[in-house]
Amino acid sequence: MTKTVLIGSDPELFVAKQGVISSAIGLVGGSKEAPRPTEFGALQEDNVLLEFNILPAASVEEFKHHIKAVLKDAQDTLTPFQMELVASLSSHSYSVEDLDSFGEAAWVFGCDPDFNGWTGEMNERPCAEDIGLRTAGGHLHIGYSHLVDKVSRKLNNEIIQMCDYLLGLPSILMDKDDRRRELYGKSGAMRHKKYGPEYRTLSNFWLFSDELLAWAYENAKASYERVSELEVFKSIISGDEVQRIINQGDKVAAKAACQSLGVAYA
């Protein structure tokens, strides 16, 4: 089989009981350090959210299968507690009383710092004015280490910049939630991994639709495969402008930019 870039993901989801947004603490098991394995990925708790990851996928069909399989594992884990996953919700503001009732873990933010793929600098630790705000990401992992002699930070940054053009810009038009950017989801948000970069700008809005699953996979893959076009993209819409559009959620400018670049959006 021809070698191809591999795409993974580690989305986060809110949970609810009888329609009321609640907490996954104590229901899932697994942690950042020791996720709970499933056949096609793993489950874990992250603050009040349920988080999962998938095995890396070499095709869009495999990507869809892995996402759906681990989503089912997640729901099966919650069902005995009469809880359910909440589709397409990427931000929610809890009351202090609710967070206190969930336990100390509801106040613990265990994420390692991430970086800005445009500047190479570490991003500041997020802090929202609303201390009850919690948000759910839909991060994408782009694995190319098996295709090259060495993974480089320079190439990782360039791939992430392409992600902003191919995924970040159209997401401003596709993602109905604007509050997540108070904490996460800034332009070029990324981490360097041993296999390639992790793109951390997107929320989980793309998880529950075959069309959007394909959109996420194909454009993450294209961000590696089309990285040689980066300077052409920058000549049409500058990197500074891309960052501004994403960080400010400027829908009018995002639409114009996507049209100028020939970048599709739903």
Side-chain angles (χ1 to χ4, degrees):
M1 183 175 178
T2 303
K3 286 186 176 181
T4 184
V5 62
L6 300 174
I7 306 299
S9 186
D10 61 332
E12 300 157 336
L13 291 154
F14 288 94
V15 302
K17 187 167 187 175
Q18 297 178 340
V20 178
I21 305 299
S22 186
S23 165
I25 295 170
L27 307 182
V28 180
S31 65
K32 296 282 188 187
E33 297 74 26
R36 175 183 161 193
T38 68
E39 185 176 1
F40 296 102
L43 305 174
Q44 65 189 59
E45 298 170 15
D46 183 4
N47 198 276
V48 296
L49 302 173
L50 182 150
E51 181 176 345
F52 71 88
N53 58 61
I54 63 166
L55 299 177
S59 69
V60 66
E61 292 78 14
E62 199 170 51
F63 185 74
K64 290 179 184 178
H65 173 269
H66 292 357
I67 291 282
K68 292 178 181 181
V70 187
L71 274 174
K72 182 179 186 303
D73 294 333
Q75 182 56 63
D76 288 347
T77 298
L78 295 174
T79 297
F81 301 99
Q82 298 180 308
M83 305 280 280
E84 64 273 354
L85 298 170
V86 181
S88 304
L89 179 69
S90 55
S91 70
H92 179 73
S93 183
Y94 293 88
S95 69
V96 171
E97 292 75 18
D98 279 345
L99 289 171
D100 282 339
S101 74
F102 299 147
E104 185 178 344
W107 296 102
V108 174
F109 295 87
C111 281
D112 295 327
D114 60 14
F115 293 82
N116 183 323
W118 292 93
T119 67
E121 296 176 357
M122 184 183 297
N123 289 324
E124 293 183 9
R125 195 173 184 86
C127 180
E129 290 186 13
D130 179 358
I131 64 172
L133 180 63
R134 300 292 183 270
T135 64
H139 310 155
L140 292 163
H141 297 246
I142 301 167
Y144 67 89
S145 59
H146 57 297
L147 303 177
V148 297
D149 292 332
K150 184 179 179 181
V151 170
S152 78
R153 289 199 165 214
K154 180 179 183 295
L155 180 54
N156 283 351
N157 288 339
E158 291 171 348
I159 293 167
I160 291 301
Q161 291 170 30
M162 281 300 290
C163 283
D164 265 359
Y165 281 104
L166 299 180
L167 291 160
L169 278 176
S171 78
I172 297 302
L173 302 169
M174 299 162 67
D175 188 351
K176 306 306 179 188
D177 184 285
D178 291 323
R179 288 210 70 192
R180 179 172 170 266
R181 278 189 299 278
E182 293 178 31
L183 280 174
Y184 297 103
K186 296 297 193 298
S187 167
M190 58 93 68
R191 286 199 184 123
H192 296 280
K193 301 289 186 177
K194 63 182 180 181
Y195 46 77
E198 173 191 4
Y199 185 56
R200 296 173 56 81
T201 297
L202 300 184
S203 81
N204 65 3
F205 78 94
W206 51 268
L207 267 184
F208 290 90
S209 152
D210 275 2
E211 180 183 12
L212 292 179
L213 286 170
W215 171 83
Y217 173 87
E218 296 293 357
N219 284 289
K221 182 170 179 277
S223 295
Y224 173 81
E225 294 177 338
R226 299 181 63 185
V227 73
S228 63
E229 300 175 45
L230 180 60
E231 293 306 316
V232 175
F233 275 64
K234 288 180 178 179
S235 72
I236 299 171
I237 305 293
S238 73
D240 286 345
E241 177 65 357
V242 168
Q243 293 172 76
R244 185 198 69 77
I245 292 169
I246 294 173
N247 291 340
Q248 295 181 8
D250 186 337
K251 291 179 169 46
V252 173
K255 183 175 182 180
C258 286
Q259 290 173 341
S260 295
L261 294 162
V263 171
Y265 56 90

